[in-house]
């Protein structure tokens, strides 16, 4: 089948030297040119299994969500309709589609702006569920994510044990960190990038509770999606050192690792670099920084 052309396993581990320290980086950004990172892991269950009778997927989230772009790829492969709700599409983005927003549109996504947000939006989207529709929550926060993340855990567990490493990754909903922690025999560390420590604990409880990752507080409170010149500078230094990371989550992740002086770490590169072009333009346009 066509879907078997998608290689969603065995991404390489790259040695990485940054600021005179050595790190191991699990390159899930290399899984597939169109369908990679933690979203490919999260949605692997839906790719791998058959869903007779399903005609569409409905989801929701931000206008530059990595999950939105990945779901649009999934639906394109499965020949499903994809409907996505977001509570804000800037005029600039409508007139100049780019990044994940552009990718989703190119894949045929129907992106709908709505005045609903928070719990009201979640309740509305869930009300659209029927026998022909899959509802996938924001960021892939679904229990089916365990299927693909368990494969990631199998790939990193032996490596981390052999090299005596802890695993580190930044978190949005915390889904990847939670299921990784459940299926590996080493400590998993994470830092919240969307909510705070209490937000992550609620997500972990919803996903099943039990063994959870170690949550590190960031150096300071970063508001999700807000532009921070110091994080942009850190991202540029990381890229200059040899690896391009996501510009939304990874700078907070690396800033946290540096703040706690973490060593002997296997860092999970969760993809998401497609959205960097849009973020860079925001930095250049609003903060007048140089790329």
């Amino acid at each position: 089948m066509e879907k078997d052309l998608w290689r969603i396993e065995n991404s390489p581990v790259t040695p990485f030297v940054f600021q005179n320290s050595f790190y191991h980086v699990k390159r899930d950004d290399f899984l597939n040119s169109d369908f990679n990172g933690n979203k490919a892991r999260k949605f692997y269950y839906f790719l791998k299994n058959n869903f007779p009778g399903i005609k569409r997927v409905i989801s929701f989230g931000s206008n530059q969500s990595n999950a939105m772009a990945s779901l649009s790829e999934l639906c394109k492969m499965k020949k499903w309709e994809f409907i996505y709700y977001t509570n804000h599409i800037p005029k600039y983005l409508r007139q100049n589609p780019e990044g994940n927003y552009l990718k989703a549109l190119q894949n045929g996504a129907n992106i709908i702006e709505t005045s609903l947000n928070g719990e009201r939006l979640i309740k509305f989207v869930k009300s659209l569920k029927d026998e022909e529709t899959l509802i996938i929550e924001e960021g892939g926060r679904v229990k089916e994510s365990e299927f693909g993340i368990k494969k990631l855990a199998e790939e990193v567990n032996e490596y981390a044990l052999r090299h005596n490493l802890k695993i580190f990754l930044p978190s949005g909903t915390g889904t990847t960190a939670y299921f990784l922690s459940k299926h590996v025999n080493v400590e998993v560390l994470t830092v919240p990038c969307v909510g705070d420590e209490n937000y992550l604990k609620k997500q972990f409880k919803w996903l099943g509770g039990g063994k959870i990752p170690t949550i590190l507080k960031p150096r300071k409170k970063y508001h999700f999606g807000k532009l921070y010149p110091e994080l942009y500078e850190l991202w540029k230094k990381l890229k200059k050192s040899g690896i391009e990371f996501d510009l939304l989550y990874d700078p907070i992740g690396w800033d946290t690792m540096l703040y706690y002086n973490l060593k002997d770490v296997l860092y999970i590169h969760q993809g998401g670099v497609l959205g960097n072009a849009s973020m860079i333009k925001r930095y250049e346009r609003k903060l007048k920084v140089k790329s």
Side-chain angles (χ1 to χ4, degrees), residues 16-23 234 236-239 241 254 258 263:
F16 183 57
V17 177
F18 184 64
Q19 296 189 355
N20 298 316
S21 292
F22 182 87
Y23 302 93
L234 175 58
K236 287 200 299 182
K237 290 176 182 176
L238 288 161
K239 185 176 181 182
S241 295
W254 281 94
L258 295 171
K263 307 294 183 184

Side-chain angles (χ1 to χ4, degrees), residues 260-276:
Y260 288 95
N261 195 30
L262 297 180
K263 307 294 183 184
D264 300 318
V265 169
L266 174 60
Y267 189 96
I268 308 295
H269 192 318
Q270 300 179 85
V273 297
L274 180 62
N276 285 351

Side-chain angles (χ1 to χ4, degrees), residues 206-219:
W206 184 88
L207 288 165
K211 181 186 176 185
I212 67 170
T214 300
I215 303 172
L216 301 178
K217 292 183 179 180
R219 184 192 301 265

Side-chain angles (χ1 to χ4, degrees), residues 16-231:
F16 183 57
V17 177
F18 184 64
Q19 296 189 355
N20 298 316
S21 292
F22 182 87
Y23 302 93
H24 307 251
V25 181
K26 175 68 169 172
R27 301 298 302 272
D28 263 10
D29 55 320
F30 284 170
L31 281 173
N32 180 278
S33 59
D34 295 315
F35 193 67
N36 59 56
N38 69 331
K39 301 307 184 293
R41 300 286 189 177
K42 287 179 176 181
F43 302 143
Y44 188 56
Y45 176 86
F46 301 104
L47 174 67
K48 197 72 174 174
N49 291 284
N50 293 319
F51 294 85
I54 291 298
K55 294 182 177 179
R56 73 190 60 83
V57 166
I58 301 179
S59 189
F60 58 95
S62 74
N63 58 58
Q64 281 290 3
S65 164
N66 294 328
M68 173 183 66
S70 292
L71 282 174
S72 74
E73 289 288 347
L74 173 70
C75 291
K76 179 181 175 183
M77 287 291 289
K78 299 286 255 185
K79 296 180 171 52
W80 291 335
E81 179 187 10
F82 179 43
I83 302 171
Y84 186 84
Y85 289 90
T86 186
N87 57 29
H88 181 55
I89 304 176
K91 182 180 178 182
Y92 178 87
L93 185 60
R94 283 189 184 276
Q95 295 175 346
N96 304 274
E98 57 192 0
N100 291 316
Y101 179 76
L102 174 60
K103 187 69 172 179
L105 290 177
Q106 290 173 334
N107 285 333
N110 181 11
I111 304 174
I112 301 171
E113 188 171 24
T114 174
S115 60
L116 300 176
N117 55 49
E119 290 299 322
R120 292 175 62 216
L121 177 55
I122 295 172
K123 185 176 180 180
F124 167 72
V125 172
K126 285 184 175 180
S127 75
L128 303 175
K129 169 78 174 159
D130 60 36
E131 61 185 14
E132 295 181 340
T133 304
L134 284 174
I135 303 296
I136 298 181
E137 288 212 31
E138 181 174 12
R141 191 197 69 150
V142 290
K143 293 179 180 179
E144 290 87 349
S145 293
E146 182 172 6
F147 181 82
I149 298 171
K150 184 179 179 182
K151 282 195 64 64
L152 171 61
E154 292 167 356
E155 293 173 29
V156 299
N157 187 58
E158 182 183 349
Y159 185 94
L161 285 169
R162 186 167 70 249
H163 294 278
N164 195 27
L165 304 175
K166 296 179 180 180
I167 294 172
F168 183 93
L169 66 163
S171 282
T173 64
T175 304
T176 305
Y178 173 77
F179 286 125
L180 260 184
S181 181
K182 180 177 178 179
H183 292 290
V184 296
N185 302 115
V186 298
E187 185 179 11
V188 174
L189 308 168
T190 193
V191 58
C193 297
V194 176
D196 58 11
E197 182 180 0
N198 290 327
Y199 167 81
L200 273 188
K201 287 180 177 177
K202 288 179 181 177
Q203 305 308 306
F204 296 156
K205 185 176 181 181
W206 184 88
L207 288 165
K211 181 186 176 185
I212 67 170
T214 300
I215 303 172
L216 301 178
K217 292 183 179 180
R219 184 192 301 265
K220 69 176 190 179
K221 172 62 178 176
Y222 294 107
H223 296 276
F224 184 68
K226 187 176 178 181
L227 305 180
Y228 293 92
E230 67 272 25
L231 293 182

